[in-house]
Amino acid sequence: MKRLITRRAPPTFRLCSRTHRCGPVLLVLAAIVGGATAPALAQAPAQTPPTGGAATSEGLPQVDLSSELLFKLMAAETAVQRGDPGTAYTIYLDAARQTRDPRLARRATEVALGARASNEAIAAARLWRELAPTSTEALQPHAVLLIAAGRNDEAATVFEQQIKASATPLAELQQTQRILARAPDRQAALVLLPRLDAPYRDDPVIGPDVMLVTAAGAHAAGQSERAIAEARAALKARPGIETAALLDARQ
């Protein structure tokens, strides 16, 4: 264990400052990842990888829980309990890379999130997404962290993949709009909405609702003229749509 910790110095975690203002978005992410606030995530127990053959029925790798791996995971949790998230993060990330188990990458994300270490959380979430490419659960934390860091173009690419992969793109767009509305820079983040909405605006079933998503985003960004235009477009596409009428009336 001594060799494990001293081989590479653990990252020094820096809390989000007032300048970066990533707290609100990280709290949104905390709810997505673990159903808890960010500090509580740091106390959550790790999920132990299964032992045995090639893969589980959920498509997860079946990891040989050797004494060495078990010792590493115990050391990581001990580090969390002792208030040393940097060491815990390093151990979990190394273990995830070694085993290719997305649950360990998720735990590394949780540890970094609990410490409000955005850069480390992004790296872990990227690995989580790489190890579970078909999991929407893995896609969203990566996108939200990128938004919190102001890396909006990268986030848009991830959101696009997530929406495209979803069986309910409208619901994904609505949730994405709510996430963007909580971004540290709402104006910049909400500029992404038209790009994300574009492939679905002409859909005969959900098109008008998609226009309302754009209208809600414009309203959240203080762009009243754009919000009115989108609401009226939704009304034109589906006369009598109540939400559009209400949005138009309150401008």
Side-chain angles (χ1 to χ4, degrees):
M1 182 61 214
K2 188 174 181 180
R3 290 196 305 273
L4 174 69
I5 295 178
T6 57
R7 184 185 307 160
R8 179 169 68 251
T12 301
F13 285 168
R14 177 176 58 80
L15 301 184
C16 292
S17 65
R18 290 183 181 179
T19 302
H20 288 84
R21 295 183 301 164
C22 51
V25 180
L26 290 181
L27 290 177
V28 172
L29 178 60
I32 292 168
V33 175
T37 61
L41 281 171
Q43 304 299 324
Q47 293 181 322
T48 303
T51 60
T56 67
S57 58
E58 294 83 11
L60 296 168
Q62 287 214 358
V63 178
D64 181 11
L65 193 60
S66 63
S67 58
E68 179 184 4
L69 178 57
L70 180 59
F71 189 64
K72 288 180 180 180
L73 299 184
M74 290 175 62
E77 284 305 304
T78 299
V80 170
Q81 297 300 324
R82 290 179 176 176
D84 184 6
T87 293
Y89 171 86
T90 298
I91 295 173
Y92 274 121
L93 202 65
D94 284 348
R97 288 169 175 157
Q98 177 185 353
T99 63
R100 311 302 293 171
D101 193 315
R103 288 163 295 187
L104 298 179
R106 170 179 174 151
R107 183 56 179 152
T109 306
E110 291 173 346
V111 170
L113 179 60
R116 302 290 182 89
S118 60
N119 289 336
E120 286 78 9
I122 287 172
R126 184 186 298 112
L127 178 61
W128 179 11
R129 178 182 158 215
E130 175 189 326
L131 299 179
T134 61
S135 169
T136 55
E137 183 186 27
L139 276 170
Q140 193 168 74
H142 188 201
V144 175
L145 280 165
L146 289 169
I147 286 292
R151 293 160 61 174
N152 296 336
D153 286 341
E154 294 176 67
T157 299
V158 180
F159 277 128
E160 285 172 335
Q161 293 174 0
Q162 181 177 335
I163 295 165
K164 185 177 180 180
S166 174
T168 55
L170 176 60
E172 291 293 337
L173 284 166
Q174 290 168 333
Q175 183 165 355
T176 298
Q177 183 271 317
R178 290 190 290 270
I179 290 169
L180 296 177
R182 297 187 184 188
D185 186 346
R186 287 191 304 173
Q187 293 284 345
L190 287 166
V191 166
L192 302 179
L193 264 183
R195 167 180 169 181
L196 300 175
D197 290 353
Y200 308 95
R201 290 177 64 87
D202 295 330
D203 186 287
V205 177
I206 66 171
D209 298 292
V210 169
M211 295 172 192
L212 290 183
V213 173
T214 304
H219 180 73
Q223 301 171 1
S224 58
E225 291 185 4
R226 177 66 183 273
I228 291 171
E230 291 291 343
R232 289 177 176 170
L235 274 169
K236 183 177 180 179
R238 187 188 296 161
I241 188 169
E242 292 184 10
T243 308
L246 288 172
L247 185 62
D248 190 11
R250 72 182 183 182
Q251 302 300 323

